Amino acid sequence: VQFVVIGDGAPEYKARLETLAADPAYNRNFSYRPFSEEGERLAVAYADVLANPSRYEPCGLNYMYGMSSGTLPLVSDRGGHVDLVSPG
């Protein structure tokens, strides 16, 4: 299993993600990149599964990009997820 995390946020989380990505014990299976639209679209297009948990998701484009390229969206039952991702 390989994980790619793309995003920005609290500095302490970013620092921890950067540390994990640089650690030889994890760097073959874990990658972290700061958010960029191009990076997001490439990662989503090449992924098998897109995990997109959210407490509140008004629209979210990343899982729509994923569905258009055949990536399975794994989403919470909130907002735009309910409207655009159907089970089954």
Side-chain angles (χ1 to χ4, degrees), residues 7-86:
D8 291 315
E12 61 271 18
Y13 295 134
K14 184 177 177 181
R16 181 65 180 139
L17 291 169
E18 289 170 343
T19 300
L20 283 172
D23 188 326
Y26 300 105
N27 66 7
R28 289 183 56 110
N29 299 80
F30 180 83
S31 177
Y32 166 71
R33 301 285 185 262
F35 177 80
S36 75
E37 285 187 31
E38 181 181 357
E40 174 194 24
R41 288 184 184 178
L42 286 172
V44 169
Y46 287 101
D48 295 317
V49 177
L50 170 66
N52 191 31
S54 180
R55 292 183 189 157
Y56 173 74
E57 183 64 54
C59 176
L61 295 174
N62 52 358
Y63 61 88
M64 288 192 277
Y65 298 147
M67 290 189 300
S68 70
S69 63
T71 302
L72 177 68
L74 179 61
V75 298
S76 58
D77 61 348
R78 304 286 188 271
H81 293 158
V82 175
D83 298 333
L84 297 170
V85 179
S86 61

